Amino acid sequence: MQNGFDMAAVRFFAGLNGHRGLDDVFVYGLHYNTVQTLPIAMIAFAMWLTAPRDGRRSDIIMTGFIAAIVVVALAMASKLFLPARPRPAALGLYPFTRQDFPFDWSSLPSDTLAILSAFTAAMWTAERRWGIVGIAMCVLVAIAKMFAGYHYPTDILIGAGLGVATFTGLWRFPDIGHRANRIVALAYRRAPVAITAALAFVAVSFGTLFADQRVLVKYMLGKESISGEAPRVTAAAGSRAVVQMLP
C-alpha cells in the first residue's frame, strides 16, 4: 500500500528526526491528543455556547459536531474492518525518534485530521478568523503526524478530505444541523448545567480521540481485551520493527 510519494515523505521526515528542537515540537509537544484536537474542539464548543441559539452560526457549529462524530465512526470502521496499513515507523526502514507507538490501529486514514478538518470547515463557514486558526492547527498536526512516523501524506490527505467532505455534505442539508440545534437548545434552556456538561464532555472526548470508548467498542467486537492493553511496535536497533505486548 506504499507508493513513491509516501515513501519520499517518510524518508524526508525521518531524516529530520534527532534534532532536539524539532523533536521537542513535532514528536513530543504536538504528539498528545489533548494538544492536537482538544483546543479546536473547545473553540467550536465555545462558539456554539456564545452564539444565539436560533442563529445561523449555532446551526453551523452543531453541524460541525455532527460531522466530527460521523468521521470518528467512519475512521474507526475503516481501521477495524479494512486491510491494515502499517504506520511508517513500523516499517523499520528509517529511524524515528519515537521507538514505541500504538500498532493496534491502521494508519489509514488519519482520524485526527478528519476530526480537525470537520471542525475547521464548520469554523471557517461560521467565522473566518477561527477557520484560519483551525487551518493552522491542521497544518501543524499534519507535520507532527508525519514527523513522528505515525502517518503517510496520503493518510493525512484522505483524513482531511473525509472531514471536509462530511461537513460539506451535511451542510448541504441545513435542516439537519438546524433541527439538532433546536433540540439541544431546547434541552439547554431546560437544563443548562446538564447540557453544558454533556457538550463539554463530548468536546473533551474529541480531545482524547474517544480513547476509552474505542477500547470498549473494540472489546465488544472481540478486537481487544477490556484492559485496554494493545499491541505496540518497538523498532529494533538498526533494522526491523518488532511487535510485542507492552506491560
Side-chain angles (χ1 to χ4, degrees), residues 48-88:
W48 182 87
L49 198 62
T50 57
R53 293 284 70 82
D54 56 351
R56 179 175 181 269
R57 190 172 83 162
S58 59
D59 288 350
I60 293 171
I61 298 302
M62 182 57 66
T63 304
F65 268 96
I66 296 171
I69 292 170
V70 170
V71 297
V72 167
L74 291 175
M76 188 170 186
S78 69
K79 291 173 182 291
L80 285 171
F81 301 111
L82 294 181
R85 188 185 199 190
R87 297 183 185 275

Side-chain angles (χ1 to χ4, degrees), residues 11-12 21 37 51 72 118 147 154 161 174 184 214 218 223 235 237 240:
R11 183 167 58 252
F12 172 76
T37 53
V72 167
F147 199 106
T154 49
V184 176
R214 289 175 187 240
K218 287 192 289 182
K223 299 286 185 177
R240 306 170 57 189

Side-chain angles (χ1 to χ4, degrees), residues 24-232:
D24 286 346
V25 174
F26 293 109
V27 178
Y28 298 106
L30 282 169
H31 166 72
Y32 299 99
N33 290 328
T34 50
V35 176
Q36 293 174 355
T37 53
L38 184 58
I40 297 301
M42 292 307 293
I43 288 172
F45 167 63
M47 289 178 71
W48 182 87
L49 198 62
T50 57
R53 293 284 70 82
D54 56 351
R56 179 175 181 269
R57 190 172 83 162
S58 59
D59 288 350
I60 293 171
I61 298 302
M62 182 57 66
T63 304
F65 268 96
I66 296 171
I69 292 170
V70 170
V71 297
V72 167
L74 291 175
M76 188 170 186
S78 69
K79 291 173 182 291
L80 285 171
F81 301 111
L82 294 181
R85 188 185 199 190
R87 297 183 185 275
L91 300 176
L93 299 176
Y94 304 103
F96 285 90
T97 299
R98 294 192 69 88
Q99 294 187 338
D100 63 291
F101 52 91
F103 191 63
D104 57 324
W105 287 112
S106 171
S107 72
L108 180 68
S110 170
D111 44 11
T112 305
L113 266 296
I115 292 170
L116 283 177
S117 297
F119 278 128
T120 296
M123 291 158 57
W124 175 269
T125 304
E127 193 171 342
R128 290 289 191 267
R129 61 171 179 164
W130 290 116
I132 292 171
V133 172
I135 291 171
M137 196 64 190
C138 285
V139 172
L140 286 173
V141 171
I143 293 172
K145 289 293 188 183
M146 293 185 288
F147 199 106
Y150 271 54
H151 287 293
Y152 306 91
T154 49
D155 299 338
I156 300 294
L157 293 173
I158 291 171
L162 178 63
V164 172
T166 301
F167 169 78
T168 303
L170 288 173
W171 186 238
R172 287 177 63 87
F173 303 93
D175 278 353
I176 294 175
H178 180 66
R179 289 177 181 176
N181 190 44
R182 288 184 63 184
I183 292 171
V184 176
L186 176 62
Y188 179 79
R189 285 195 296 270
R190 294 184 176 180
V193 173
I195 297 304
T196 300
L199 290 175
F201 172 77
V202 172
V204 171
S205 295
F206 278 115
T208 62
L209 291 183
F210 294 88
D212 292 344
Q213 293 88 336
R214 289 175 187 240
V215 170
L216 181 60
V217 169
K218 287 192 289 182
Y219 167 71
M220 292 172 65
L221 293 172
K223 299 286 185 177
E224 184 180 284
S225 69
I226 193 64
S227 67
E229 294 180 354
R232 291 177 179 263

Side-chain angles (χ1 to χ4, degrees), residues 89-90 92-95 99 233-243:
L93 299 176
Y94 304 103
Q99 294 187 338
V233 166
T234 299
S239 63
R240 306 170 57 189
V242 236
V243 179

